[in-house]
Amino acid sequence: MSNKSGSLVNWLLLTWVSFTLAACFLGQHIVESADPVDPPKVDLSCESFNASQSCEQCLKNVTCMWCNAPVANVSKCMLYPVQTILPSTNQCALSSARWGVCWLNFEALIISMSVIGGVLIIGITLCFCKCCGCCCFGNSVSRYAREEERMGRDRQERSVRQDERKKERQQRNDDIRRKYGLRTSGPSYERLES
């Protein structure tokens, strides 16, 4: 199970990173193509941001990632390892790596993306089951209606049998009263007058 969840986390993270990188590069391409004047060429390599020692400056370039405390205990800006999706621990620990925003590390990113992905998958599955009528959602209403109808028939049959038994009991009591000469109608008591 952990292998499946690990591959799901990797797949979700890969999807998120690829969409984010594509959006950033596409947005940068649109901005560059809309500007008729070529801006002066600036060195945007990740190592050039190490001089400023600022996470915000480093993360302005989407190809860079910031490592708060890498192996040498020095914060630095480095090239994001696109081939491996996640930075290796000898480059930077996941709790220290930042990409996109400075306040979110990779551990929190992985956990939050896993939770969001899991909730989305469960929600989509439940909606699919509810709409298609499969699993336990589709038959529940008709099953309860059939059960209610059966219980109503049983209740009515019991009521009819109870009425029949009551009439039979009344008939037997009347037969016994006639046999011994007792009154069959009216109350069995009379008002005493003095």
Side-chain angles (χ1 to χ4, degrees):
M1 183 70 182
S2 63
N3 190 15
K4 286 183 180 180
S5 63
S7 64
L8 179 65
V9 169
N10 286 339
W11 181 81
L12 288 173
L13 190 60
L14 174 65
T15 305
W16 181 77
V17 168
S18 61
F19 281 134
T20 306
L21 286 175
C24 290
F25 288 129
L26 182 63
Q28 186 179 9
H29 176 69
I30 291 172
V31 170
E32 287 175 0
S33 64
D35 190 14
V37 180
D38 289 335
K41 299 293 180 190
V42 179
D43 181 23
L44 293 177
S45 68
C46 296
E47 288 76 23
S48 66
F49 294 112
N50 282 332
S52 68
Q53 292 292 320
S54 168
C55 176
E56 289 81 15
Q57 291 294 324
C58 174
L59 295 182
K60 284 183 180 178
N61 186 352
V62 294
T63 61
C64 299
M65 69 175 241
W66 181 259
C67 191
N68 271 339
V71 178
N73 287 333
V74 178
S75 297
K76 68 176 185 174
C77 189
M78 61 180 67
L79 186 64
Y80 184 82
V82 181
Q83 294 83 12
T84 60
I85 300 171
L86 295 174
S88 65
T89 54
N90 60 0
Q91 285 181 335
C92 188
L94 288 178
S95 60
S96 302
R98 309 287 196 264
W99 182 76
V101 289
C102 293
W103 52 267
L104 183 63
N105 64 24
F106 269 96
E107 283 181 344
L109 178 69
I110 290 170
I111 291 170
S112 61
M113 292 303 291
S114 300
V115 169
I116 290 170
V119 167
L120 283 175
I121 288 172
I122 290 171
I124 289 170
T125 303
L126 289 176
C127 288
F128 178 75
C129 289
K130 181 71 175 167
C131 292
C132 293
C134 61
C135 303
C136 55
F137 291 109
N139 298 329
S140 62
V141 175
S142 61
R143 184 179 342 136
Y144 289 132
R146 285 192 308 262
E147 185 70 23
E148 184 77 25
E149 185 180 325
R150 185 187 60 79
M151 287 173 50
R153 282 194 311 261
D154 290 348
R155 192 176 310 117
Q156 188 176 7
E157 288 173 5
R158 281 194 304 269
S159 175
V160 167
R161 283 189 303 227
Q162 183 179 8
D163 288 342
E164 288 174 1
R165 284 194 305 266
K166 186 175 182 181
K167 287 179 183 176
E168 288 174 5
R169 209 173 29 249
Q170 184 68 33
Q171 182 66 31
R172 273 187 275 138
N173 287 342
D174 288 345
D175 289 345
I176 291 172
R177 285 187 184 115
R178 270 189 303 233
K179 180 178 177 181
Y180 293 106
L182 300 173
R183 275 191 275 178
T184 57
S185 62
S188 60
Y189 58 90
E190 291 181 13
R191 185 175 214 157
L192 294 175
E193 296 182 25
S194 31

